[in-house]
Amino acid sequence: MSDNVIVYHGEQLARYHFGAEHPFGPKRHDAFVERLHQSGLDSQVTRGEPATAGREAIERFHTREYVDEVEAASKSGRGMLDPDTPAVKGIYDAAATVVGTGLAALDQLMAGNYPRAFIPIAGLHHAYRDRAAGFCVFNDCGVLIETLREVYGIRRIAYVDIDAHHGDGVFYSFEYDPEVFIVDVHEDGRYLYPGSGFSQETGKGEAAGTKLNIPMPMQADDEQFLAIWPEAENFLEQKRPEVILLQCGADSLKGDPITHLHYSEASHAHVTRRLCHLADKTSEGRLLALGGGGYNLDNLATAWTAVVKAMIDFTGDEAARRTVIS
């Protein structure tokens, strides 16, 4: 068993979904867990149990009025939180568990118990401070960033997002923050929801130059991804973050039903290895990976297992020199 990686999964976490007919359906969590077991990697990591966040933690990012709205909608189970996000019964507790599990993982990293952690049902990067968006009820990424600030006194935070969709709820919430360094590699917003994340968007005010958006053309593959990655890595290395968050959405793999990129799991493995290397240099090894999107079950199981394997296999400079997963 690796003493370096903790992976969170469990029935509580699996409850975050919107029903069998919705793209964010009930089988995503179990598809990953089954693949983790089939690969034998479950015996090489520590299993972390899901946890549920209280309102105080959720409201580090979200407004009280919005949290009230979600709580009320969750009890009725009727209506829509946004055009893509049904107000299913119990969604408040499910979303609070996504947030709480991220906070539990963050506790482990900050205590020095594990340098790396992975959570499959996480990375809900579209929700804004005052509203739901794009299958995302509470923005666990935003709560984690605010918690690093308020609880741990961490200032320099890197948020890296390789989901096919631009992480707009994170980007625009911290667009004016000069110490949240964002790298977001996504399908060009001219072709895909949420229609944002253009290369000229680099942060505003004092934060100008602290964000890097890299829109990718439809059908971009591993070769094209690996060609742009050094720019992203150089950007991050110059910023010297104290903690790194990775949103590793699997909807950027070829064959996803709602996106148009053509990566394989090799891109996800490569980014994970390189971020492990950077984290060892600048962040005391601290890397928290969040599953994000992915609506082809085989793809998400493959990509997320590759992320976990890359974390397990990383052994410093030797691992950092590898470019693709075998």
Side-chain angles (χ1 to χ4, degrees):
M1 178 181 293
S2 170
D3 59 359
N4 290 327
V5 183
I6 183 167
V7 176
Y8 287 80
H9 57 88
E11 182 183 352
Q12 257 187 304
L13 198 59
R15 291 174 185 164
Y16 187 88
H17 65 82
F18 301 97
E21 302 305 314
H22 192 277
F24 205 118
K27 297 181 179 179
R28 300 172 77 254
H29 171 277
D30 291 352
F32 163 71
V33 173
E34 182 178 351
R35 184 69 58 83
L36 192 73
H37 177 69
Q38 290 173 347
S39 67
L41 295 178
D42 58 342
S43 64
Q44 299 180 51
V45 300
T46 299
R47 178 182 172 185
E49 292 291 335
T52 302
R55 282 191 63 129
E56 180 183 359
I58 295 168
E59 289 174 12
R60 290 176 193 148
F61 180 81
H62 290 289
T63 65
R64 180 175 301 178
E65 294 76 13
Y66 173 61
V67 178
D68 286 342
E69 177 189 335
V70 175
E71 195 166 29
S74 179
K75 290 175 182 175
S76 72
R78 294 190 298 270
M80 302 290 288
L81 293 169
D82 97 306
D84 301 306
T85 312
V88 297
K89 202 160 190 175
I91 195 61
Y92 177 93
D93 289 336
T97 297
V98 175
V99 174
T101 304
L103 294 173
L106 198 61
D107 283 344
Q108 293 290 339
L109 266 62
M110 298 309 296
N113 296 329
Y114 299 88
R116 295 179 278 281
F118 177 77
I119 309 170
I121 307 302
L124 306 179
H125 60 172
H126 293 306
Y128 284 75
R129 294 184 186 270
D130 61 351
R131 65 187 188 275
F135 315 160
C136 303
V137 176
F138 294 144
N139 192 322
D140 54 313
C141 315
V143 175
L144 290 171
I145 291 170
E146 296 291 8
T147 299
L148 283 166
R149 291 279 174 73
E150 294 181 24
V151 177
Y152 298 104
I154 297 293
R155 303 308 308 171
R156 302 174 67 81
I157 302 162
Y159 173 78
V160 181
D161 193 324
I162 59 171
D163 192 289
H165 301 87
H166 181 237
D168 56 326
V170 179
F171 185 89
Y172 296 113
S173 295
F174 296 99
E175 190 175 19
Y176 287 88
D177 191 317
E179 293 183 313
V180 175
F181 312 117
I182 296 178
V183 169
D184 200 311
V185 185
H186 50 272
E187 185 175 332
D188 194 315
R190 292 175 295 174
Y191 314 121
L192 189 71
Y193 177 93
S196 58
F198 299 103
S199 57
Q200 65 268 28
E201 296 182 274
T202 62
K204 291 184 176 178
E206 292 183 0
T210 63
K211 322 293 186 239
L212 179 64
N213 279 303
I214 304 180
M216 302 293 284
M218 287 193 293
Q219 302 181 1
D221 58 13
D222 289 338
E223 183 178 358
Q224 289 164 283
F225 182 87
L226 293 173
I228 62 87
W229 181 252
E231 178 188 1
E233 189 171 328
N234 290 338
F235 173 89
L236 291 167
E237 189 158 8
Q238 290 170 11
K239 306 305 181 187
R240 301 197 64 79
E242 298 170 82
V243 176
I244 302 173
L245 306 177
L246 168 63
Q247 204 274 23
C248 49
D251 49 8
S252 48
L253 268 65
K254 184 177 182 179
D256 190 274
I258 65 174
T259 68
H260 315 97
L261 296 177
H262 284 185
Y263 306 164
S264 78
E265 72 275 15
S267 290
H268 285 60
H270 178 75
V271 166
T272 305
R273 279 193 296 271
R274 296 305 304 172
L275 291 180
C276 284
H277 178 63
L278 178 62
D280 278 1
K281 289 174 64 176
T282 72
S283 312
E284 299 182 23
R286 296 180 294 223
L287 173 63
L288 173 52
L290 311 167
Y295 308 101
N296 174 310
L297 296 180
D298 183 65
N299 278 359
L300 68 82
T302 299
W304 295 346
T305 302
V307 168
V308 173
K309 185 176 189 301
M311 287 180 162
I312 295 169
D313 289 349
F314 181 79
T315 56
D317 288 340
E318 180 182 352
R321 286 195 293 269
R322 302 176 199 150
T323 57
V324 295
I325 194 167
S326 58

Coordinates of all heavy atoms in Angstrom, one line a residue, residues 269-306:
A269 N -2.5 11.3 -17.4 CA -1.4 10.8 -16.6 C -0.1 11.7 -16.7 O 0.6 11.9 -15.7 CB -1.0 9.4 -17.2
H270 N 0.1 12.3 -17.9 CA 1.2 13.2 -18.0 C 1.1 14.4 -17.1 O 2.0 14.8 -16.4 CB 1.4 13.6 -19.5 CG 2.5 14.5 -19.7 ND1 3.8 14.1 -19.8 CD2 2.5 15.9 -20.0 CE1 4.6 15.2 -20.0 NE2 3.8 16.3 -20.1
V271 N -0.1 15.0 -17.2 CA -0.3 16.2 -16.3 C -0.1 15.8 -14.8 O 0.5 16.6 -14.1 CB -1.7 16.8 -16.6 CG1 -2.1 17.8 -15.5 CG2 -1.8 17.4 -17.9
T272 N -0.6 14.7 -14.4 CA -0.5 14.3 -13.0 C 0.9 14.1 -12.6 O 1.3 14.6 -11.6 CB -1.3 13.0 -12.8 OG1 -2.7 13.2 -13.2 CG2 -1.3 12.6 -11.3
R273 N 1.7 13.5 -13.5 CA 3.1 13.3 -13.1 C 3.8 14.6 -13.0 O 4.6 14.9 -12.1 CB 3.8 12.4 -14.2 CG 3.6 10.9 -14.0 CD 4.5 10.1 -14.9 NE 4.3 10.3 -16.3 CZ 3.4 9.6 -17.0 NH1 2.7 8.6 -16.4 NH2 3.2 9.8 -18.3
R274 N 3.6 15.5 -14.0 CA 4.3 16.8 -14.0 C 3.9 17.6 -12.8 O 4.7 18.4 -12.3 CB 4.0 17.5 -15.3 CG 4.5 16.8 -16.6 CD 6.0 16.5 -16.5 NE 6.8 17.7 -16.2 CZ 8.1 17.7 -16.0 NH1 8.8 16.6 -15.9 NH2 8.7 18.9 -15.8
L275 N 2.6 17.6 -12.4 CA 2.2 18.3 -11.3 C 2.7 17.7 -10.0 O 3.0 18.5 -9.0 CB 0.6 18.4 -11.2 CG 0.0 19.3 -12.3 CD1 -1.5 19.3 -12.2 CD2 0.6 20.7 -12.3
C276 N 2.8 16.4 -9.9 CA 3.5 15.8 -8.8 C 4.9 16.4 -8.6 O 5.4 16.7 -7.5 CB 3.6 14.3 -8.9 SG 2.0 13.4 -8.6
H277 N 5.6 16.5 -9.8 CA 7.0 17.0 -9.8 C 7.0 18.4 -9.3 O 7.8 18.8 -8.5 CB 7.5 16.9 -11.2 CG 8.9 17.4 -11.4 ND1 10.0 16.9 -10.7 CD2 9.4 18.4 -12.2 CE1 11.1 17.6 -11.1 NE2 10.7 18.5 -12.0
L278 N 6.1 19.3 -9.8 CA 6.0 20.7 -9.4 C 5.7 20.8 -8.0 O 6.2 21.6 -7.2 CB 5.0 21.4 -10.3 CG 4.8 22.9 -10.0 CD1 6.1 23.7 -10.2 CD2 3.7 23.5 -10.8
A279 N 4.7 20.0 -7.5 CA 4.3 20.0 -6.1 C 5.5 19.7 -5.2 O 5.6 20.3 -4.1 CB 3.1 19.1 -5.9
D280 N 6.3 18.7 -5.6 CA 7.4 18.4 -4.8 C 8.4 19.6 -4.7 O 9.1 19.8 -3.7 CB 8.2 17.2 -5.3 CG 7.5 15.9 -4.9 OD1 6.5 15.9 -4.2 OD2 8.0 14.8 -5.3
K281 N 8.5 20.4 -5.7 CA 9.4 21.5 -5.8 C 8.9 22.7 -5.0 O 9.7 23.4 -4.4 CB 9.7 21.9 -7.2 CG 10.5 20.9 -8.0 CD 10.6 21.3 -9.5 CE 11.3 22.6 -9.7 NZ 11.5 22.9 -11.1
T282 N 7.6 23.0 -5.1 CA 7.1 24.3 -4.6 C 6.1 24.1 -3.5 O 5.8 25.1 -2.8 CB 6.5 25.1 -5.7 OG1 5.2 24.5 -6.1 CG2 7.4 25.2 -6.9
S283 N 5.4 23.0 -3.3 CA 4.2 22.9 -2.6 C 4.2 21.8 -1.5 O 3.2 21.3 -1.1 CB 3.0 22.6 -3.5 OG 3.0 23.5 -4.6
E284 N 5.4 21.4 -1.1 CA 5.6 20.3 -0.1 C 4.8 19.0 -0.5 O 4.3 18.3 0.3 CB 5.1 20.7 1.3 CG 5.9 21.9 1.8 CD 5.5 22.3 3.2 OE1 4.9 21.5 4.0 OE2 5.7 23.5 3.6
G285 N 4.8 18.8 -1.9 CA 4.1 17.6 -2.4 C 2.6 17.7 -2.5 O 2.0 16.8 -3.1
R286 N 2.0 18.8 -2.1 CA 0.5 18.8 -1.9 C -0.2 18.9 -3.3 O -0.2 20.0 -3.9 CB 0.1 19.9 -1.0 CG 0.7 19.6 0.4 CD 0.3 20.7 1.4 NE 0.9 22.0 1.1 CZ 1.5 22.8 2.0 NH1 1.5 22.4 3.3 NH2 2.0 24.0 1.7
L287 N -0.8 17.9 -3.7 CA -1.6 17.8 -4.9 C -2.9 17.1 -4.7 O -3.0 16.0 -4.3 CB -0.9 17.1 -6.0 CG -1.6 16.9 -7.3 CD1 -2.0 18.2 -8.0 CD2 -0.8 16.0 -8.3
L288 N -4.0 17.8 -4.9 CA -5.4 17.3 -4.7 C -6.1 17.2 -6.0 O -6.3 18.3 -6.7 CB -6.2 18.1 -3.7 CG -7.7 17.8 -3.5 CD1 -7.9 16.3 -3.2 CD2 -8.3 18.6 -2.4
A289 N -6.4 16.0 -6.5 CA -7.0 15.9 -7.8 C -8.5 15.6 -7.7 O -8.9 14.7 -6.8 CB -6.4 14.7 -8.6
L290 N -9.3 16.3 -8.5 CA -10.8 16.2 -8.4 C -11.3 15.7 -9.7 O -11.0 16.2 -10.8 CB -11.3 17.6 -8.1 CG -10.7 18.3 -6.9 CD1 -11.1 19.8 -6.9 CD2 -11.0 17.7 -5.6
G291 N -12.2 14.7 -9.7 CA -12.6 14.0 -10.9 C -13.2 14.9 -12.0 O -12.9 14.7 -13.2
G292 N -14.1 15.8 -11.7 CA -14.7 16.6 -12.7 C -15.7 15.9 -13.6 O -16.3 15.0 -13.2
G293 N -15.8 16.4 -14.9 CA -16.7 15.8 -15.8 C -16.3 14.5 -16.4 O -15.3 14.0 -16.1
G294 N -17.1 14.1 -17.3 CA -16.9 12.8 -18.0 C -18.2 12.0 -18.0 O -18.7 11.6 -17.0
Y295 N -18.7 11.7 -19.2 CA -20.0 11.2 -19.4 C -20.0 9.9 -20.2 O -21.1 9.4 -20.5 CB -20.9 12.3 -19.9 CG -20.8 13.5 -19.1 CD1 -20.0 14.6 -19.5 CD2 -21.3 13.6 -17.8 CE1 -19.7 15.7 -18.7 CE2 -21.0 14.6 -17.0 CZ -20.3 15.7 -17.4 OH -20.0 16.8 -16.6
N296 N -18.9 9.4 -20.5 CA -18.6 8.0 -21.0 C -18.0 7.3 -19.9 O -16.9 7.6 -19.4 CB -17.7 8.1 -22.3 CG -17.3 6.8 -22.8 OD1 -16.9 5.9 -22.1 ND2 -17.4 6.6 -24.1
L297 N -18.7 6.2 -19.4 CA -18.3 5.6 -18.2 C -16.9 4.9 -18.3 O -16.1 4.9 -17.4 CB -19.3 4.5 -17.7 CG -20.7 5.1 -17.3 CD1 -21.6 4.0 -16.9 CD2 -20.6 6.1 -16.2
D298 N -16.7 4.3 -19.5 CA -15.4 3.7 -19.7 C -14.3 4.7 -19.7 O -13.2 4.5 -19.1 CB -15.4 2.9 -21.0 CG -14.1 2.1 -21.2 OD1 -13.8 1.2 -20.4 OD2 -13.4 2.5 -22.2
N299 N -14.5 5.8 -20.4 CA -13.5 6.9 -20.4 C -13.2 7.4 -19.0 O -12.0 7.6 -18.7 CB -14.0 8.1 -21.3 CG -13.8 7.9 -22.7 OD1 -13.3 6.8 -23.2 ND2 -14.3 8.8 -23.5
L300 N -14.2 7.7 -18.2 CA -13.9 8.3 -16.9 C -13.1 7.3 -16.0 O -12.2 7.6 -15.3 CB -15.1 8.9 -16.2 CG -16.2 8.0 -15.8 CD1 -16.0 7.4 -14.4 CD2 -17.5 8.8 -15.7
A301 N -13.5 6.0 -16.1 CA -12.8 5.0 -15.3 C -11.4 4.9 -15.7 O -10.5 4.8 -14.9 CB -13.5 3.6 -15.5
T302 N -11.2 5.0 -17.1 CA -9.8 4.9 -17.6 C -9.0 6.1 -17.2 O -7.8 5.9 -16.7 CB -9.8 4.7 -19.1 OG1 -10.6 3.5 -19.5 CG2 -8.4 4.7 -19.7
A303 N -9.5 7.3 -17.4 CA -8.7 8.5 -17.1 C -8.4 8.6 -15.6 O -7.3 8.9 -15.3 CB -9.5 9.7 -17.6
W304 N -9.4 8.4 -14.8 CA -9.2 8.6 -13.4 C -8.3 7.6 -12.8 O -7.5 7.9 -11.9 CB -10.5 8.7 -12.6 CG -11.4 9.9 -13.0 CD1 -11.0 11.0 -13.7 CD2 -12.8 10.0 -12.8 NE1 -12.0 11.8 -13.9 CE2 -13.1 11.3 -13.3 CE3 -13.7 9.3 -12.1 CZ2 -14.5 11.8 -13.2 CZ3 -15.0 9.8 -12.0 CH2 -15.4 11.0 -12.6
T305 N -8.4 6.4 -13.3 CA -7.5 5.3 -12.8 C -6.0 5.7 -13.2 O -5.1 5.5 -12.5 CB -7.9 4.0 -13.4 OG1 -9.2 3.7 -12.9 CG2 -6.9 2.9 -12.9
A306 N -5.9 6.3 -14.4 CA -4.6 6.7 -14.9 C -4.0 7.8 -14.0 O -2.8 7.8 -13.7 CB -4.6 7.2 -16.3

